[in-house]
Amino acid sequence: MECLYFAAGRCRSCSLMAVPYLQQLQDKAEHCARLLADHTSLRFLPPQPSTESGFRNKAKMVISGTSESPNIGILDADGHGIDLRHCGVCAPELRAAFPVIERFIRQLGLIPYDVPKRKGELKHVIITLAPSGDLMVRWVLRTKKHFVALRDSLELFRKALPAAKVVSVNFLPEHKAVLEGEEEIVLTAAQTLGMELNGIGMHLRPQGFFQTNTEIAGALYRQARQWVTELEPASLWDLYCGVGGFALHCSASGRQVVGVESSAAAVKAAERSAADLGMENTRFVTGDATDFVVGQDQGPELVVVNPPRRGIGAVMADWLNDSQVKHVIYSSCNAVSLAKDLKRMGNLEPVEARVMDMFPQTNHYEVILRLQRKE
């Protein structure tokens, strides 16, 4: 993949842009194998490649410049805007939305936030693409100064961008390096974006998490489902479940499935998906995953964990190690923390692993690994 922004030195977010893609994939597989080399019984399946460009289903764009001439992109080291509206890793449908965003910024007189001066109103625009082609558009404001203008222009905005099924306004009053605040007002009748993968319909709320590479997310869920189908557990927990991707993919008649997630909005979305799919034996719980497991008298036959980059941590790892859980599927976005967690789970033997290239053009990747209890 070639990128004019990278070649010009304007953006180096994709640090591997100059490396041939097959070499990227091989390097990631070798990096993961080195980190997990102590587990001699572990067999690596062929790494799952991704489409090289246009794979991102989410654009988290900083708005800078002026109302008359806004930049849509990122900030440089000094806090000044760099326009990246033609970024090649963003899906074409996202790039097609940027001219509409720019036009409405100008027409409504939305004032971009100036980071060095700490002045202005419009901080970010976050756009998510569903497999159906529908979009979720989120305007992130410092205050409610522009809220009425955005609300009243909704009909015109959706006419200009018909794919925008969910439109919301988020408020981030603090000056800090985060994308969004706690308060969010959805302007459209539709409150969730439908995200169907592998025939499983899921619902994404504005502040919910979903993998940024739809193609690889689908492959990740299929791999987990394949393992679960082969093992046929009677009970399964999906910890750090988000909108329920693993739980919903691994649900089956007679199997008791519980998903645990700290985000109440994500749990609500997962519950709606389970209801839509008629999964009566699949339920979801709002709460901290570690607190949930230590409060249980007995674990299930199989546990899926999909933690943030820091990993599952000592308490969760020790609980899994000492429990009667027969199988664990660990989906990790950070093989370094995965290796650290595995050291605490000596009673569970890593059997199979697969690198999933969720983030082409960067050093990051996902790895999914299956463990079984030693006899």
Side-chain angles (χ1 to χ4, degrees):
M1 175 183 170
E2 294 184 0
C3 175
L4 295 178
Y5 297 120
F6 184 87
R10 297 183 65 192
C11 176
R12 293 299 171 124
S13 298
C14 295
S15 58
L16 301 183
M17 188 64 70
V19 179
Y21 181 67
L22 291 180
Q23 186 64 51
Q24 293 182 34
L25 192 64
Q26 181 179 338
D27 290 347
K28 292 177 183 184
E30 292 176 354
H31 178 260
C32 188
R34 286 196 301 272
L35 288 172
L36 305 182
D38 290 343
H39 305 283
T40 56
S41 61
L42 178 59
R43 180 172 71 95
F44 277 89
L45 301 173
Q48 176 65 55
S50 169
T51 302
E52 294 182 44
S53 62
F55 58 83
R56 281 195 65 94
N57 61 26
K58 189 172 186 177
K60 300 175 284 189
M61 308 303 271
V62 178
I63 308 301
S64 59
T66 65
S67 300
E68 297 76 19
S69 182
N71 291 317
I72 301 174
I74 60 174
L75 297 178
D76 63 18
D78 296 322
H80 299 114
I82 299 174
D83 197 282
L84 295 180
R85 69 185 70 194
H86 302 295
C87 174
V89 300
C90 288
E93 295 89 340
L94 297 177
R95 298 198 298 270
F98 296 149
V100 180
I101 298 295
E102 179 189 14
R103 188 160 72 248
F104 270 76
I105 291 172
R106 291 202 316 244
Q107 289 178 352
L108 300 181
L110 306 181
I111 306 169
Y113 186 69
D114 188 315
V115 171
K117 295 180 179 179
R118 301 192 179 191
K119 294 181 178 180
E121 296 295 324
L122 178 58
K123 293 187 171 183
H124 309 113
V125 173
I126 304 172
I127 312 176
T128 303
L129 170 68
S132 64
D134 290 343
L135 297 173
M136 176 188 292
V137 180
R138 303 171 61 209
W139 302 87
V140 182
L141 303 177
R142 183 175 69 90
T143 72
K144 295 186 178 178
K145 178 177 180 178
H146 291 319
F147 173 73
V148 172
L150 285 168
R151 182 196 63 192
D152 292 349
S153 68
L154 178 64
E155 184 176 348
L156 289 175
F157 181 72
R158 294 190 65 191
K159 185 176 181 180
L161 191 62
K165 301 301 181 184
V166 182
V167 181
S168 67
V169 180
N170 179 276
F171 300 99
L172 177 60
E174 300 88 358
H175 178 84
K176 56 183 180 181
V178 296
L179 281 172
E180 59 191 34
E182 295 182 4
E183 184 181 3
E184 186 128 10
I185 299 175
V186 180
L187 303 179
T188 49
Q191 300 285 302
T192 64
L193 185 67
M195 303 291 286
E196 183 172 324
L197 291 180
N198 306 317
I200 301 295
M202 291 173 280
H203 294 275
L204 179 65
R205 291 182 174 271
Q207 293 184 307
F209 169 79
F210 200 86
Q211 300 284 5
T212 58
N213 187 325
T214 302
E215 175 189 8
I216 300 301
L220 187 70
Y221 293 140
R222 289 195 300 273
Q223 181 64 70
R225 182 168 61 186
Q226 177 185 329
W227 284 337
V228 171
T229 300
E230 293 170 355
L231 296 169
E232 297 184 326
S235 53
L236 180 152
W237 290 349
D238 178 8
L239 306 180
Y240 317 91
C241 72
V243 296
F246 287 109
L248 297 168
H249 275 77
C250 297
S251 180
S253 177
R255 179 176 297 146
Q256 299 297 318
V257 177
V258 179
V260 182
E261 168 59 42
S262 60
S263 167
V267 167
K268 190 174 181 179
E271 289 175 335
R272 177 179 172 184
S273 299
D276 289 349
L277 295 164
M279 296 177 175
E280 297 180 355
N281 294 331
T282 300
R283 65 184 182 91
F284 295 89
V285 176
T286 302
D288 178 79
T290 302
D291 291 344
F292 175 82
V293 299
V294 298
Q296 303 298 312
D297 296 329
Q298 186 175 354
E301 289 187 25
L302 187 148
V303 170
V304 179
V305 292
N306 184 27
R309 288 189 60 79
R310 65 178 180 274
I312 61 175
V315 175
M316 175 73 78
D318 290 345
W319 185 90
L320 287 169
N321 187 63
D322 298 335
S323 72
Q324 297 303 308
V325 173
K326 295 179 181 179
H327 307 278
V328 175
I329 295 176
Y330 193 135
S331 179
S332 170
C333 61
N334 183 1
V336 174
S337 60
L338 168 63
K340 182 178 179 180
D341 289 335
L342 291 181
K343 289 182 179 180
R344 302 190 70 99
M345 295 190 287
N347 293 331
L348 291 160
E349 181 179 33
V351 179
E352 287 183 301
R354 189 172 196 180
V355 168
M356 319 290 283
D357 195 12
M358 191 74 71
F359 314 101
Q361 317 304 338
T362 77
N363 287 306
H364 302 293
Y365 57 87
E366 193 96 8
V367 57
I368 187 167
L369 180 144
R370 177 172 69 86
L371 303 97
Q372 65 184 20
R373 188 159 299 279
K374 295 178 180 179
E375 298 182 356

